[in-house]
């Protein structure tokens, strides 16, 4: 029984480490993009349907590779795309 408890704890610990690593990586990436001229907007979804609506709108209005979702931020390569996003969603 101790063996399985240790295994479960290791699994949980590894999952948490992966989550933290991804979050840190996203923060570093966001910082680099903003330093490179991208525009960041902090944004939180209100639910699953809201997330689908926002992401559908972005895919219809912003060219691929011109935006990223990093933690609780959207970053846009073009300021104009960020402004349209703000007008539509904030």
């Amino acid at each position: 029984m101790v063996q399985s408890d240790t295994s479960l704890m290791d699994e949980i610990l590894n999952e948490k480490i992966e989550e933290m690593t991804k979050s840190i990586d996203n923060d570093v990436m966001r910082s680099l993009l903003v330093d490179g001229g991208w525009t960041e907007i902090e944004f939180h979804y209100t639910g699953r349907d809201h997330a689908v609506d926002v992401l559908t709108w972005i895919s219809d209005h912003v060219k691929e590779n011109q935006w990223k979702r990093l933690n609780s931020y959207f970053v846009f390569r073009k300021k104009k795309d960020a402004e349209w996003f703000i007008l539509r969603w904030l």
Side-chain angles (χ1 to χ4, degrees):
M1 190 75 165
V2 172
Q3 182 76 17
S4 66
D5 287 345
T6 302
S7 177
L8 178 60
M9 292 294 284
D10 287 344
E11 185 177 330
I12 292 170
L13 181 61
N14 287 335
E15 287 178 15
K16 293 298 179 187
I17 289 170
E18 284 183 37
E19 288 175 18
M20 288 176 53
T21 301
K22 183 176 180 182
S23 178
I24 291 167
D25 288 348
N26 283 343
D27 284 341
V28 169
M29 174 65 79
R30 181 175 51 85
S31 178
L32 290 171
L33 291 172
V34 169
D35 287 348
W38 288 48
T39 302
E40 69 178 354
I41 300 167
E42 187 171 10
F43 187 82
H44 300 278
Y45 301 122
T46 59
R48 182 180 295 175
D49 291 339
H50 185 233
V52 170
D53 291 343
V54 170
L55 294 174
T56 300
W57 182 90
I58 288 176
S59 69
D60 289 346
H61 293 88
V62 182
K63 291 183 181 178
E64 191 174 335
N65 299 321
Q66 300 291 306
W67 68 277
K68 294 189 182 305
R69 172 79 171 165
L70 300 167
N71 295 338
S72 60
Y73 291 85
F74 281 101
V75 289
F76 295 89
R77 180 180 301 243
K78 295 180 180 178
K79 187 174 181 176
K80 181 178 177 181
D81 289 333
E83 291 167 347
W84 280 111
F85 179 86
I86 289 168
L87 287 171
R88 174 59 180 96
W89 297 105
L90 296 179

